[in-house]
Amino acid sequence: MSTISRSIPRTDSPQKSAGRANYLDDMRIAGALHARLLLSTRPRARILRVETPALPDGYVTVDHSDIPGTNAVRMINDGWPLFPVDMVEYVGQPILLIAGPDVAVIDELLAAVTVEYEDLTPVFGIDGAETVEDPECFVDYHLEYHLEGAPGPTDQPSGDLAFTITETFDTGAQEHIYLEPQAMAAWCEGHRITVTGSIQCPYYVHKALVTVLGWDADRIRVVQATTGGAFGGKEDFPSVLAGYVALAAHKTGQPVKLVLDRGQDIEISTKRHPSRITLASSVGRSGLAQSTCADIRIDGGAFEGLSSTVLQRAMFNASGVYRIPEISVQGQAYRTNIVPYGAFRGFGSPQAFFASEMHMCHLARKHGEDPLSFKRRHLVRQGDRTITGGTLRDPVKMEEMIDSVLTQSEYNRKRPEYERATGITRRGIGVSLFNHGCGFTGSGERDIIKARVKLRGHADGKVEVLCSNVEMGQGAETTLRKIVAETLGVPIGNVVFQNPDTDQVPDSGPTVASRTVMVVGGLLHTAALKLKDATSPGPGQPVEVEANYQQPAEIEWDQSTFTGDAYPAFSWGVNIIEIELDLLTYAIRPLTVWASFDIGTAIDERIVIGQIHGGIAQGIGYGTTELLEVRDGAFQQRTMTDYVIPGSLDTPEIHVNLVSNPYHGGPFGAKGVGEIPLTGPPPALGDAVECALGVEIHQIPLTPEYLERIVRTQGGAQ
Amino acid sequence: MRISFTVNGNPVVVEAEPLARLLDVLRIDLGLHGVKEGCGEGECGACAVLLNGRIVNSCVTPVAAAADGEILTIEGFCETDRYAVIEQAFSDSGGVQCGFCTPGFVMATEALLRENSKPSEDEIRRGLSGNLCRCTGYNMIVQAVQAASETLNGQ
Ligand code: FES
Ligand code: FES
């Protein structure tokens, strides 16, 4: 273990345990008004008339007519209106808000608002889009990859093909359930506005406010409040809420606070994109997969938001961690009349890995081989081409990682035993192999994000970290400070990290995409090296140094054809999961997870393992109980009672081993860890169920209803 | 209606509807912000407090139920020696990430260890089953409770 990996106490831990950490709703904001939203009850309709009741003194409504700038939530494009003008596009779309001193009065007023609609025909989900003649797509991509050195399709003697399989996989929506619901507040001072809230990306919010208010950037200040979990859910949606509170504060001249209750949070915030992925592969007589054709469709919801980039990431993972010479991938993001889907830990990758891993299991089965052995024969190696024609430059340690968990789990003994077992209670054991590209796709870091960080060294030896990346539970505060302290050779206590404030920190990009440690931590490392040599401008004066992102020289990427190195580095993972299930309830009980990860170097082992545990739990939820069903455009699950995330009794024992594989482009060799742990469990669980029941799995979540049905229809559980 | 009870050892009298949520009285009237609202429906335990020594979710407890009772919130508990042990154990084990669930888990840990000073792993998981955490995957919290139990038992 590298010395930096040795765990240190998290500085935020004592305050949080004592209940002294101030999340947005805990902040005392003098004179703050409350705001509540009026939501559309129709999935797709023209708004004919909105009638608001007479408002008592001190209460105001805010809607599209109060927007001084552009009526758009700025993301990749401006297609998402902050408030609708004459059309609603989904159930739960905020139409207006009412702000005032008393929440109960606001609720009465909202109940008295009448909206007259003229209903139009909605499209619900992928099923709905597929039944429409010409479904509307936000994006529609077609890519063909022919890996260098591999025989082309025409060179392939067709008589050499043993079989082909074409099959379709469905993955459901997933709600983040960060434990602190979305929350935001705003106030005006002079000609400036300050917005503070539970957010991942201060500068995303900042840019969104520039668009909505139409003001110069320097009139807007965004400060992150202590954030109670995010998982991607506070990447995009806070830009929406920030617009609401900013408009209300601007209109009333008073501070305004908007805290969603859990039901409303589930109802209107973004979620993981549901997907339908069809994979068609051919396997040669040699037992090697020759080609894969992937068709990936995701439900984008009503507005595009981040759907195009989520779809890209899904497409770039269509062949998993395997060498397949011929690949074609097409992808579409449908526009439907459901809450816009958005960022969620993994960002399209968990969907693709579920499909490609299960598909490999099915190819193996048809070939008459154990899935793990079949997968191992196809594993990519160092020097191989990636699906986009990039190069895997760094060592791939998957073989060693697989061996370690195989031994620990006794997979080779258990698998055949469980496959043969009969009786009401069955066990299963399954494997998944996966990776995750760290940082933004392609040249996004260089061309779009352009990250900058600063360090400010003070005469008393204190060093301030100035970056826009946030602590949201994942340990960024401790990790980034540790990188700086270790580089400077000073005690960690000398390095100060505060919740980012756009008045103070440069734009080092959003806290997303497994980039915070590798990219931003890397920049801080560079800045710390500069600081060592820098001299103070004058006695007692602080010295400031800056570092800017430089794309590694070896990286080549063409965004117009999606070719080249989609990611500068990959983290890698192996999961083995053992489960128990009985044929009466069909409820899956995960018993143990053995996990091996290569994330480069761990900057702090306990924090890294904490990320892995939490990601695995979230992946288990995604694969088993976290079901969101849409009826008439509305989610049927509205509470944490209906939407079931894993509890202490549902989360198995988790054994993690970290394989050291330092990446030259990351600080101390670190790569990313935030997202990858969520990817492993769904396919490992699927494989474990196949082992236990002898069925073929094609969807998640693995609900008892689904398992009961496929056992019946496929004649499983003999 | 006037309702009196003690909070963290201090007698208080509040004017509230009897069905008002204890959570709101604690957070809004008494400014005790360590008590968090995660779900508002008794599912997550972020709002957990001890009422007469028993753990309750204050979001589904009407304030009238606290009349003449004794309430201990994280603000009071964090002044005690037992808290110091539990806090240290959470920190050492990695039981705290975003922290929004943590005060509730700390109160649930105290309630559990008061009843059962040497719980097994299974008893710990059961004892914490009223609290949800989305960040940690629970294993490190379970370890924290084990460690706290050992320290409190003088091992
Ligand atoms: S807020 Fe009370 S149980 Fe969740
Ligand atoms: S630490 Fe975030 S919910 Fe538990």
Side-chain angles (χ1 to χ4, degrees):
Chain A
M1 180 170 80
S2 164
T3 51
I4 195 168
S5 306
R6 225 170 276 145
S7 307
I8 62 166
R10 283 178 66 134
T11 24
D12 52 346
S13 189
Q15 293 290 334
K16 286 175 171 174
S17 292
R20 289 196 194 109
N22 275 326
Y23 302 84
L24 192 277
D25 200 25
D26 305 331
M27 290 168 52
R28 291 162 218 261
I29 305 170
L33 303 177
H34 298 276
R36 308 270 276 185
L37 301 165
L38 179 81
L39 305 180
S40 161
T41 56
R42 305 303 169 92
R44 183 159 179 257
R46 254 187 272 286
I47 302 173
L48 301 180
R49 205 167 50 89
V50 178
E51 206 164 296
T52 41
L55 298 179
D57 267 358
Y59 292 81
V60 294
T61 61
V62 177
D63 67 10
H64 67 90
S65 65
D66 296 299
I67 297 174
T70 308
N71 184 7
V73 182
R74 179 157 166 211
M75 289 188 201
I76 292 169
N77 62 29
D78 283 351
W80 182 336
L82 187 62
F83 281 122
V85 179
D86 51 11
M87 277 278 289
V88 288
E89 312 267 1
Y90 61 92
V91 173
Q93 181 175 3
I95 296 173
L96 54 80
L97 67 78
I98 297 183
D102 187 335
V103 178
V105 175
I106 298 174
D107 282 343
E108 278 169 31
L109 293 169
L110 285 172
V113 176
T114 48
V115 182
E116 209 177 293
Y117 298 100
E118 180 191 320
D119 288 313
L120 300 167
T121 312
V123 173
F124 296 140
I126 296 174
D127 278 334
E130 287 184 342
T131 55
V132 184
E133 186 151 344
D134 197 8
E136 206 177 325
C137 290
F138 294 120
V139 281
D140 191 345
Y141 300 126
H142 296 262
L143 311 171
E144 301 261 347
Y145 296 111
H146 165 63
L147 296 197
E148 224 170 88
T154 47
D155 314 333
Q156 181 73 46
S158 58
D160 194 37
L161 277 192
F163 62 87
T164 63
I165 293 183
T166 302
E167 53 183 349
T168 299
F169 300 90
D170 283 291
T171 66
Q174 186 183 20
E175 162 55 41
H176 307 82
I177 311 280
Y178 26 68
L179 216 63
E180 178 210 19
Q182 302 268 355
M184 200 71 66
W187 57 88
C188 296
E189 275 160 324
H191 72 304
R192 300 193 76 208
I193 193 163
T194 299
V195 172
T196 183
S198 187
I199 61 179
Q200 283 176 247
C201 314
Y203 275 97
Y204 277 6
V205 172
H206 192 268
K207 287 171 189 154
L209 290 170
V210 168
T211 300
V212 164
L213 294 170
W215 293 2
D216 289 340
D218 61 6
R219 292 175 62 189
I220 296 163
R221 176 183 179 201
V222 176
V223 187
Q224 183 232 358
T226 301
T227 297
F231 316 113
K234 293 171 184 172
E235 170 176 352
D236 44 18
F237 195 71
S239 295
V240 180
L241 285 192
Y244 297 150
V245 290
L247 291 179
H250 179 51
K251 182 161 180 176
T252 60
Q254 276 172 276
V256 174
K257 154 166 152 176
L258 175 51
V259 179
L260 297 188
D261 62 36
R262 180 61 63 183
Q264 198 163 79
D265 190 305
I266 294 177
E267 192 180 0
I268 73 171
S269 69
T270 54
K271 317 204 182 303
R272 182 186 303 286
H273 292 74
S275 78
R276 174 162 296 162
I277 300 178
T278 300
L279 297 173
S281 297
S282 58
V283 173
R285 291 202 194 285
S286 56
L288 283 176
Q290 306 289 346
S291 65
T292 295
C293 221
D295 175 343
I296 301 182
R297 302 173 187 194
I298 62 172
D299 183 352
F303 302 120
E304 182 171 332
L306 302 171
S307 290
S308 59
T309 44
V310 167
L311 180 62
Q312 288 166 26
R313 215 181 244 276
M315 293 173 70
F316 300 158
N317 287 297
S319 59
V321 290
Y322 308 109
R323 8 159 56 149
I324 315 273
E326 289 297 325
I327 301 177
S328 66
V329 193
Q330 55 179 7
Q332 289 173 309
Y334 289 126
R335 175 177 187 145
T336 68
N337 295 103
I338 297 183
V339 170
Y341 291 101
F344 196 142
R345 198 178 200 172
F347 211 71
S349 183
Q351 291 93 319
F353 269 100
F354 169 70
S356 62
E357 281 294 281
M358 296 319 299
H359 187 55
M360 285 298 274
C361 291
H362 302 162
L363 295 174
R365 178 185 290 218
K366 181 128 189 190
H367 181 62
E369 190 175 354
D370 172 77
L372 178 57
S373 131
F374 184 80
K375 288 177 184 176
R376 282 186 100 154
R377 290 195 297 105
H378 287 85
L379 263 182
V380 289
R381 303 198 167 81
Q382 182 175 21
D384 278 0
R385 296 304 230 178
T386 66
I387 180 172
T388 54
T391 307
L392 290 171
R393 293 188 182 79
D394 301 311
V396 176
K397 298 200 166 180
M398 289 292 271
E399 294 286 359
E400 155 186 356
M401 292 158 64
I402 295 169
D403 284 335
S404 71
V405 286
L406 272 186
T407 314
Q408 289 166 2
S409 65
E410 299 181 66
Y411 172 90
N412 288 330
R413 174 182 65 78
K414 289 175 180 169
R415 178 96 190 188
E417 195 179 305
Y418 294 169
E419 279 175 355
R420 279 194 309 269
T422 54
I424 288 292
T425 306
R426 304 278 174 106
R427 285 209 174 183
I429 188 163
V431 191
S432 60
L433 312 181
F434 46 99
N435 66 6
H436 193 87
C438 307
F440 268 80
T441 299
S443 296
E445 291 284 350
R446 183 191 63 195
D447 299 341
I448 301 167
I449 305 297
K450 304 183 174 99
R452 286 166 57 215
V453 304
K454 282 186 192 170
L455 287 176
R456 189 181 292 145
H458 293 271
D460 63 358
K462 291 268 190 273
V463 177
E464 277 178 81
V465 175
L466 300 171
C467 73
S468 61
N469 298 87
V470 309
E471 170 60 58
M472 52 192 179
Q474 88 285 38
E477 172 182 337
T478 307
T479 306
L480 296 178
R481 287 170 63 232
K482 213 173 164 184
I483 290 169
V484 173
E486 187 85 9
T487 311
L488 292 171
V490 303
I492 181 109
N494 283 19
V495 182
V496 181
F497 179 103
Q498 270 166 351
N499 288 351
D501 169 346
T502 56
D503 274 5
Q504 302 295 328
V505 302
D507 185 354
S508 47
T511 317
V512 306
S514 303
R515 67 184 289 279
T516 304
V517 172
M518 188 181 85
V519 176
V520 182
L523 290 176
L524 288 169
H525 175 67
T526 308
L529 291 174
K530 283 190 190 171
L531 187 65
K532 274 184 166 177
D533 299 334
T535 43
S536 161
Q541 290 205 31
V543 44
E544 250 182 45
V545 293
E546 188 176 312
N548 298 300
Y549 181 77
Q550 306 287 344
Q551 183 162 295
E554 67 275 16
I555 299 298
E556 282 174 29
W557 177 253
D558 181 345
Q559 180 68 19
S560 63
T561 56
F562 292 147
T563 49
D565 295 296
Y567 305 101
F570 294 85
S571 287
W572 302 82
V574 179
N575 281 179
I576 293 188
I577 303 188
E578 184 168 350
I579 60 162
E580 187 170 82
L581 58 81
D582 69 64
L583 300 179
L584 301 173
T585 64
Y586 283 101
I588 295 173
R589 202 155 76 82
L591 300 174
T592 312
V593 179
W594 295 269
S596 184
F597 284 94
D598 157 14
I599 56 138
T601 303
I603 298 298
D604 187 281
E605 208 162 71
R606 187 167 47 220
I607 287 176
V608 163
I609 292 177
Q611 283 297 290
I612 292 173
H613 282 192
I616 286 175
Q618 226 166 33
I620 288 174
Y622 179 43
T624 56
T625 58
E626 295 187 29
L627 176 69
L628 280 172
E629 295 161 299
V630 174
R631 191 176 310 150
D632 299 329
F635 292 112
Q636 293 305 288
Q637 289 73 16
R638 302 262 181 116
T639 66
M640 281 170 72
T641 314
D642 308 335
Y643 185 78
V644 183
I645 66 165
S648 54
L649 292 167
D650 314 307
T651 309
E653 217 179 289
I654 302 170
H655 303 276
V656 178
N657 49 57
L658 300 177
V659 173
S660 169
N661 190 11
Y663 165 55
H664 68 91
F668 299 93
K671 299 187 280 192
V673 66
E675 296 171 280
I676 186 171
L678 190 143
T679 305
L685 288 162
D687 186 29
V689 170
E690 294 193 349
C691 163
L693 301 179
V695 291
E696 286 195 353
I697 295 295
H698 290 99
Q699 74 177 52
I700 46 170
L702 300 162
T703 59
E705 295 71 24
Y706 172 62
L707 296 184
E708 190 276 328
R709 176 158 54 83
I710 59 172
V711 163
R712 205 165 12 87
T713 55
Q714 298 181 14
Q718 298 292 318
Chain B
M1 136 182 199
R2 281 164 75 81
I3 299 169
S4 45
F5 46 87
T6 70
V7 176
N8 302 327
N10 304 315
V12 296
V13 183
V14 296
E15 186 63 47
E17 294 293 321
L19 287 181
R21 305 189 304 171
L22 177 58
L23 172 67
D24 293 330
V25 172
L26 295 173
R27 280 185 61 88
I28 300 169
D29 299 6
L30 303 174
L32 298 170
H33 290 158
V35 189
K36 307 294 182 198
E37 176 165 359
C39 69
E41 55 179 22
E43 200 61 42
C44 75
C47 64
V49 300
L50 299 190
L51 172 56
N52 300 324
R54 291 198 37 225
I55 191 116
V56 297
N57 286 327
S58 62
C59 71
V60 286
T61 305
V63 63
D68 303 323
E70 276 180 29
I71 293 171
L72 181 64
T73 72
I74 190 70
E75 285 85 355
F77 181 53
C78 77
E79 302 297 333
T80 65
D81 294 344
R82 287 176 68 86
Y83 168 79
V85 170
I86 294 173
E87 191 276 312
Q88 188 68 48
F90 268 70
S91 172
D92 292 345
S93 306
V96 182
Q97 289 194 23
C98 83
F100 201 77
C101 70
T102 315
F105 270 97
V106 168
M107 297 312 290
T109 302
E110 170 62 3
L112 169 67
L113 295 180
R114 276 189 192 184
E115 272 202 0
N116 179 354
S117 68
K118 291 182 186 173
S120 65
E121 180 185 335
D122 197 55
E123 288 167 334
I124 295 172
R125 287 186 181 269
R126 254 163 241 291
L128 301 179
S129 62
N131 295 69
L132 291 173
C133 173
R134 190 60 153 167
C135 298
T136 64
Y138 305 97
N139 282 254
M140 289 176 165
I141 295 178
V142 172
Q143 281 164 21
V145 179
Q146 271 161 342
S149 141
E150 280 164 23
T151 310
L152 289 169
N153 287 308
Q155 284 167 6

